[in-house]
Amino acid sequence: MSALTSLAQLRAAVDGIAQPLATVRHCHVAEAPLVLVPLKLAGEAAAPLAVLVGAARDDASLLVVPQPRNRDLRFQFAAEFAKLVLNHIETSRGGVEELPPGKDGDERIRYGDAPQLLVPNRGGVGFLRLLGRSTRFRSTEGPYAVDPAVPVLGRWLTWFADRYDHPGSSLLRAMTEVLRLHWATGQSSLEDGNLAALLGWIDPPDGLDGPAAAARAEDPVTCPPAGPATDPTFDNEVLAPAIAAYDRSGGDHRAEERLRGAIAGQLEPTWELMWRAVGLLRALPEGASVPGRWERDRDAFTYYHQTFGEAYPQARRDPPVRAARRLHDLERAQDAYDAQRAFDDPLVMAEYRLAGQAFGGVVTDCEPDRLDETGKRPKLRPHLRVGTADPVRLDVGTTVCNAARPALKGKIVELAAGSVLLELTGGMGRKLTAEPGSVPRPGERVCFTSLSEGSFGAAKFPDREDTPWTHGGPPEEYVPTDEDAEEEWS
Amino acid sequence: MTETAPDLDRLRGGAPPRNHDARTIAALTANPGCARRGVMDAAGVDKDAVARELGFPSPFGQSQFAITRGNAFEAQVKADGCAELLTLLRDGLGLAVPEVAYDDLEVVAGNEGRELRHARTRRLLARALESGEGTLFDHPLLRLEIAGQLAYLEPDVIAFQLAGRLHVIEIKSFAVVDGQAEPEQVAAAARQSAVYVLALRRLVSELGHDPARVSHEVFLVCPENFSNRPVAAPLDVRPQLAVLERQLARLTRIDRILDALPGDLTFGPGAALADAVRTVEARYAPECMAGCEMAFFCRDEARACGATGALGRSVRDDLGGVDTIGTALALADGSLDPSDDLAETAAQLRTAARLRDEALAAVRAETLAGAPTPEARGARDGAA
Ligand code: SF4
């Protein structure tokens, strides 16, 4: 949050409509994302009640557990759900790209595409995570045998939930968060957590303004919650009697249909909202660094898919070195992601200008052919003076680059009120005269920043064999036990 | 009874006072600057009823599935004189728990019985503290002074004496999966437990004992993973205790607020209710949604007067404490000259407005001229 975002919120509140926080789309949107709207039984950690799932607006599958307390019905649900999700994963791979061999001569490939899962909100991510945890250790043999697809689903869901934590990854996304990255509303973040209210501000239905649409969205009768928690009144007045009727009927088909109908009524409005949101995101031009990040996602997917057969289910807890490495990776990814968004989008860069880490303005003076002849060989070092009204908080000597063309680099040599003098150091070609067009001319608008897109040193962590004893010594490879497989799910 | 008691009775409009629970007190500390809530809570006004009467019912409904699950889990843990609970404390946490007596203090029900029940809690605890014998007290009725008023507290916990120290045991039905529970739920449980610890400490010192005999370590009992099997974990609530004590001390004194209010003010039902509520100043923030029954009414009021706080505390902070949207926007577009203390905020806002407009205008111009595609940008980069 910053004064800039807050200002957008104020304007949204006054104008009654959401205001842009981005001018490009900062996430990948798959051609056919798998949209999931899950519901769970209130009071339980991860007892699935239903899910509406599908990769196209007109192709929704509704899966329901008619008695969520019945273990057999739960696993039946998990098996059906697994088939849908796994089928989507297998059909979203695209072609195979051959990559140059790795350092040790390994063959390397990358799938041309990857599956993208979209859920309405953070709660949906948490639900998938827990569902993954509660199914990945299941045994497909012995007294508690489950359908072979169930533990496979568990491992994939765990993997997706893990990727969700990775800044900039688009493999699993919560819609409210993605929308909030692109628009500011005139309500608080708490209310923005309600997908219907948030979309009401961004794209109000005909005849309504943002506040009116959001107010309507808060009525659980017109706009049922987007899950995974259900509306308590629905639970008490509709769901409980319908489940009881199903129980009394001894699993009668008509009773089940009635239950499914009631649940479908709770899920369908959110389903529509999800696809409307997908449409809104698609309408935004894609940020320049989005394909690169999606490529990293595809790499991660390719690797997990390729090694799936050789690996065990993910451990219950990360061993310490892995946890530390992961934390480090996530922090690096966050820094890179933040910087990339700023380079892609002047509205995000404006945040850095406000914070003094970037400055924009008009070139007032320019010496494009200036040479530095103090060394052995002369170097091309053009001077550029930028007039700016921004509150620059950078020191003399800081390296900066051009936001529109990061290859153009320079050093701050002088700071005065309202202007910055730069010595350009790179990105102008190899000759002693700058490539035509590479040095901005007087009158041109430019923006320079101290941000850089990458160049983070690699993490130095001990290999797992060398885990210090203070962190428990080398971890044992996690091998699931029988107890894992038999874990109660009640 | 204190001198303000008659006023407080009138404020309730003749209705009996409501008991607090730890949730309401923990929430009170979340918004200590709110006079409205302070007055209503001190008087024991049924805020839920008031909100409903005002046409802003609070959405604190609970699913019967959640209630059933919670009750079943609690009953299971407490069955046979808390047999399962004792096993947990002995085997799970390795405590040397001797034979214990179990007393349920919820025997006298209803509001009329509050003094009686509290007296009984006092009596039994006094005896237990004297003898030092191991005891489990279920549903003790405690008291805590809030903003100069005594509030009754209906804890859904067990006070448990071990080796001369009292511990609070809280049974919750949220799951602990692989040793981890939802952080928000643990945090809420810790805040509530801290209220009980504090109230117990007050009681213990009233009884002439060292308040430190109530431990800051509480025991949280939750279902493990996806089962009904309980697991116990010790929880140190010292940080929450510190916050609670500080906030309670800072709570605006109710009698001072009352002095400034009209003598005939009442929150009884009727056409004048909304005005009566508005007479007492509120300080709405989105956090109210999670903890105060008046939240929808106050949010409506805050939005109607363009309060920046309705957008969230962080927005208010970003705006350097400027209270209304109109003022903030006027400072941003320069139509309002800032006072000295707002000069910095105003400068920041004006820069923010300029940068935002500049960025949006640049993009609009580019779109008109045909937005550059990523490939075009790549080509430009190729000059490097
Ligand atoms: S909802 Fe209203 S009365 Fe309750 S704490 Fe918030 S501002 Fe005060």
Side-chain angles (χ1 to χ4, degrees), chain B residues 31 34 36-37 40 47 282-285 288 292 294-295 298:
Chain B
N31 198 353
C34 179
R36 181 175 296 167
R37 172 172 196 140
M40 293 180 104
K47 295 201 298 293
R283 186 182 283 192
Y284 175 79
C288 292
C292 184
M294 296 299 294
C298 296

Side-chain angles (χ1 to χ4, degrees), chain B residues 229-248:
Chain B
R229 215 178 23 243
V231 55
L235 192 63
D236 182 345
V237 298
R238 264 176 296 188
Q240 290 79 7
L241 266 174
V243 171
L244 180 69
E245 287 191 88
R246 192 177 65 237
Q247 301 283 51
L248 283 180

Side-chain angles (χ1 to χ4, degrees), chain A residues 2 6 9 11 20 43 133 186 191 218 235-236 240 316-317 353 389-390 405 407 445 487-490, chain B residues 62-64 69 178 225-226 229 286 289 299 311 315 318 329 352-358 380-381 384:
Chain A
S2 74
S6 296
Q9 280 188 271
R11 289 195 172 148
R133 165 62 184 82
E191 285 115 358
E218 279 180 357
D235 277 7
N236 298 341
R316 287 167 176 244
R317 285 184 228 184
R353 290 173 64 182
D390 294 355
R405 195 167 70 79
R445 291 202 73 82
E487 185 174 68
E488 279 175 67
W489 196 15
S490 47
Chain B
Q62 245 204 319
S63 162
Q64 66 177 71
R69 159 84 167 160
D178 298 337
N225 297 340
F226 308 97
R229 215 178 23 243
M289 283 285 169
R299 186 182 70 172
L311 297 175
V315 176
D318 280 343
L329 284 177
R354 177 178 64 77
L355 290 173
R356 217 185 126 70
D357 294 344
E358 223 176 79
R380 269 190 286 155
D381 278 0

